[in-house]
Amino acid sequence: MRPRKSVNVASLVGSPEDEPSRPNLRLRVVGIAVLVLFLVLVLRLWTLQIIDGKSFAAAVNRNQVRVVDVAAPRGEIVDRNDTVLVSNVPEQEVLLSHVTATAEPSIIGKVAALIGQTPAQVKAAVNNVRYSPYEPVPVETNAPAATVQYLQTHQSDYPGVSVQTITQRTYPQGGTTATHVLGYSGDITSQQLAANPKAGYNQGSLVGQSGIEAEYEPYLRGVNGRQALSVNASGDVVGMLSHTAPQIGDTVVLNIDTGLQEAVQTDLAKQILQDRHTPDAEDNNKLPPAINGAAIVLNPQNGQVLAMASYPTYDLNQWVGGISTANFAALQADGAENNDAIQGEYTPGSTFKLITATADLQDGVYSPSRYYNDTGTFKVQNCTGGTCNFTDNPGDSGGEYDLATALTVSSDSYFYNLGELFWEGRATYGANAVQNVAAQYGEGVSTGIDLPNEIQGRVDSQSEREKLHQENPAAYPNTTWYTGDNVEMAFGQGATALTPIEQAVAYATFANGGTRYAPEVAAEIVNPTTGKVVTQFAPKVTGHVSLPASVSEPILQGLEGVIANSKGTGYGVFQGFPTSWNLAGKTGTATNPGAKEPNSWFVAFGPNPNPQYVVLAVIDEGGYGAEAAAPLVRSIFDYIVANPIGAVKTPTLKSPPTSTVPASNPPFGTPTTTTTTTTTTTSGGARTTTTTTHAATPTHAATTTTTSPAATTTTSQAGG
């Protein structure tokens, strides 16, 4: 084997002395490397400055400029006479930067001492999750002028603290006029914010929460302004870069007449309080609890809501700036927040007889000229289940009645008979013949009124009972429908429960000849800047009832007799009322479960034959219709007679809304002049003074009058 030769590196690479020098090549390599690095740097600079320059500049600006919304003043709400019901008042609000409060906690104590709060209260406000951590948080609303001036002159001592002008709702008529109709506004809730992600709201937005404020929120809210504020590294505002003024919301014009509205509210409250202290002679002289009530005035020709009141009520000023926990709990406890005109459900009693009478005449079940012998009791024939025996209301005299007279005297037995005839003839008329007519009148159907949270009533039927049983088996155990159930339904009892607005719409439909209109609170929307009408709300037809003369005339005769006939259930209450008005009406005394007092109803419309007003009143557990609700309706009509309602006035730039309510005339029957005669006689050192007052126009007759010393008492008829 030959030995392996080793490799000598030196033999492969020449020595420096033997190799020629190549400096140019090395310089080229280094130059190319430097050039490549320079090109990369240039490309990066070009990318940063040219391609991404705008975005980086915007990022820098975002760090220096804060854009905030400037809340727009909400639009005004006015009545049909251009009287302002809701407006705005400017207030100063103290704000504290969340960033500053976090970085410098000592500022919390200083601010608390300045505004008269505890540090814990200020800290809670700053940490309220409703507000963005990047925007200043309001810690005091309606700040006193002294506080504002002090902050302005000592700004350096209060870093992160600022003052801004906001608007709050104000009520020129006092805050208790049309409370439930107007509603209130408040801070937006998290649910509302989530439901309207693209509406432009933020966590501090003020929105309508009930009534007209909520219903017409899109018009009332206005358009927010914008402010571009310059801020320093600590987040404190150091200047304003730009400002876009907010645009006030539109003006909502209502069909409500303020004078009538205030009269209705006053009369409703007065009647309920009086009812609580008036023994019910028909029920062992019990004092009715008169828990709550409602009153409504409609124009039957177009559905305009002229007045709407609910009792108990509250003051809208409680909600300005946020309602206190104590006040909110009180409203919840007595139900004052509820608008019982559209949310209260009441057994209608005899006011439902309009529906049964219409169904009777449409189907020809019982001739209107045929007499029925009301003996005061009624027994269902061949009764096998349910209630079999019925009696008339106490005080009903009984007798031979045709349809018109049965309505006039409110004969229960006449309508018991109709209920039985409808059920026995259901193969011909249908099992729900009466209920179908009720639906045509709008009973048990949402009326479509332009107010939120309307409750839908119900008309008793087997299907309705099955539905109620599924929802609450314990409260509604029975689902079988017997003849007696149809009898109860025919005169407004059983499980039937209607809202006052539904019943008002039903009578308005009959009054105008059969056209059912949706009740409308708002008349139009007006731009306050231009004075132009944005939207005008035309009457909305929601249904029809067939009311040929053969159907309407016997019913109208009976309803007019309620007031004009000496046997009518409302005759005594309306004594002295102008006969030229020719009103028609109906009492309702609706039995409640157990030993409760009945619901008191009365509804009237006129002047006939071209009625312009429907007035309805209901008092929960108020007693007999003729004794509680009827006097209330009479009082409201007394006001209307003296103060007819005019056309809606559109506010313009030349004739803007005013806070002054037009003067009202005294209600009909109010004394207009008073003469006082004083006679002084001196005898034996003693002086006797006799004063006699003479009223030129006496007030209308009361339902009960007593004459002394003979003690002769005359009481108006009570009835269904």
Side-chain angles (χ1 to χ4, degrees), residues 8 36 49 88-89 105 108 163 176 246 294 307 310 328 340 346 360 461 467 488 508 519 532 554 572 618 676 679:
N8 188 350
V36 170
Q49 293 184 10
N88 304 293
V89 60
I108 292 178
V163 177
T176 57
S310 177
F328 184 75
D340 289 318
Y346 306 90
D360 168 36
S461 67
K467 176 183 174 182
E488 280 194 313
K532 294 182 178 180
V618 59
T676 302
T679 304

Side-chain angles (χ1 to χ4, degrees), residues 642-717:
N643 299 276
I645 308 303
V648 174
K649 297 179 182 178
T650 300
T652 64
L653 297 181
K654 292 183 178 180
S655 179
T658 174
S659 297
T660 303
V661 181
S664 298
N665 296 317
F668 172 79
T670 303
T672 54
T673 60
T674 302
T675 303
T676 302
T677 304
T678 303
T679 304
T680 303
T681 304
T682 303
S683 177
R687 174 174 292 178
T688 302
T689 301
T690 303
T691 301
T692 305
T693 301
H694 305 276
T697 305
T699 57
H700 65 259
T703 56
T704 301
T705 59
T706 303
T707 303
S708 295
T712 302
T713 302
T714 303
T715 306
S716 65
Q717 272 192 288

Side-chain angles (χ1 to χ4, degrees), residues 126-140:
V126 171
N127 294 328
N128 192 327
V129 295
R130 291 195 306 108
Y131 300 104
S132 169
Y134 306 106
E135 294 187 1
V137 177
V139 293
E140 183 183 30

Side-chain angles (χ1 to χ4, degrees), residues 284-364:
N284 298 318
N285 289 322
K286 285 184 180 178
L287 288 176
I291 301 171
N292 56 56
I296 300 169
V297 183
L298 292 181
N299 183 337
Q301 305 301 333
N302 51 29
Q304 291 183 357
V305 179
L306 306 179
M308 175 182 287
S310 177
Y311 185 90
T313 186
Y314 61 95
D315 190 336
L316 288 168
N317 289 293
Q318 292 177 310
W319 293 89
V320 176
I323 191 169
S324 68
T325 302
N327 286 342
F328 184 75
L331 292 182
Q332 295 292 307
D334 63 8
E337 192 181 357
N338 297 332
N339 183 357
D340 289 318
I342 66 171
Q343 296 174 316
E345 293 180 286
Y346 306 90
T347 307
S350 293
T351 58
F352 190 82
K353 291 173 180 176
L354 166 67
I355 311 302
T356 306
T358 302
D360 168 36
L361 298 182
Q362 286 181 345
D363 290 341

Side-chain angles (χ1 to χ4, degrees), residues 242-577:
S242 64
H243 173 76
T244 302
Q247 300 176 28
I248 188 172
D250 292 325
T251 299
V252 178
V253 182
L254 305 185
N255 288 311
I256 297 291
D257 180 276
T258 300
L260 175 62
Q261 176 70 32
E262 292 178 342
V264 170
Q265 292 178 187
T266 300
D267 290 340
L268 174 63
K270 180 180 178 181
Q271 185 63 42
I272 287 179
L273 296 176
Q274 178 179 322
D275 196 28
R276 292 174 181 175
H277 297 87
T278 304
D280 186 353
E282 302 293 341
D283 193 8
N284 298 318
N285 289 322
K286 285 184 180 178
L287 288 176
I291 301 171
N292 56 56
I296 300 169
V297 183
L298 292 181
N299 183 337
Q301 305 301 333
N302 51 29
Q304 291 183 357
V305 179
L306 306 179
M308 175 182 287
S310 177
Y311 185 90
T313 186
Y314 61 95
D315 190 336
L316 288 168
N317 289 293
Q318 292 177 310
W319 293 89
V320 176
I323 191 169
S324 68
T325 302
N327 286 342
F328 184 75
L331 292 182
Q332 295 292 307
D334 63 8
E337 192 181 357
N338 297 332
N339 183 357
D340 289 318
I342 66 171
Q343 296 174 316
E345 293 180 286
Y346 306 90
T347 307
S350 293
T351 58
F352 190 82
K353 291 173 180 176
L354 166 67
I355 311 302
T356 306
T358 302
D360 168 36
L361 298 182
Q362 286 181 345
D363 290 341
V365 176
Y366 201 83
S367 170
S369 59
R370 182 179 176 183
Y371 281 82
Y372 175 83
N373 184 21
D374 180 358
T375 62
T377 60
F378 181 86
K379 179 176 175 56
V380 177
Q381 299 179 20
N382 304 316
C383 185
T384 58
T387 304
C388 298
N389 298 297
F390 297 86
T391 60
D392 290 352
N393 268 320
D396 291 354
S397 58
E400 296 274 346
Y401 302 128
D402 60 5
L403 175 64
T405 311
L407 286 169
T408 294
V409 303
S410 200
S411 167
D412 287 340
S413 288
Y414 186 98
F415 287 88
Y416 297 156
N417 180 53
L418 290 181
E420 181 182 59
L421 292 176
F422 267 110
W423 187 245
E424 295 301 323
R426 60 188 179 277
T428 302
Y429 312 121
N432 294 313
V434 177
Q435 291 92 332
N436 292 338
V437 173
Q440 293 172 14
Y441 272 111
E443 296 193 335
V445 179
S446 294
T447 66
I449 188 172
D450 53 339
L451 288 175
N453 304 317
E454 177 190 7
I455 297 296
Q456 181 177 318
R458 63 178 181 270
V459 177
D460 203 3
S461 67
Q462 184 167 7
S463 60
E464 187 66 31
R465 290 193 178 185
E466 291 172 352
K467 176 183 174 182
L468 293 172
H469 177 75
Q470 291 178 352
E471 295 174 352
N472 191 340
Y476 300 96
N478 300 320
T479 59
T480 306
W481 191 261
Y482 298 102
T483 306
D485 298 314
N486 216 62
V487 169
E488 280 194 313
M489 179 274 303
F491 74 105
Q493 292 289 163
T496 297
L498 304 176
T499 64
I501 192 63
E502 288 176 356
Q503 197 68 312
V505 167
Y507 274 82
T509 301
F510 178 83
N512 69 39
T515 301
R516 190 173 91 237
Y517 291 101
E520 290 185 313
V521 180
E524 58 189 11
I525 308 294
V526 177
N527 185 307
T529 304
T530 64
K532 294 182 178 180
V533 175
V534 176
T535 301
Q536 197 166 45
F537 302 108
K540 297 182 181 69
V541 177
T542 58
H544 294 276
V545 179
S546 178
L547 293 174
S550 59
V551 174
S552 63
E553 288 182 357
I555 297 175
L556 180 60
Q557 180 184 346
L559 298 180
E560 289 179 340
V562 169
I563 292 173
N565 190 315
S566 61
K567 295 182 180 180
T569 52
Y571 177 78
V573 175
F574 281 85
Q575 282 294 286
F577 191 78

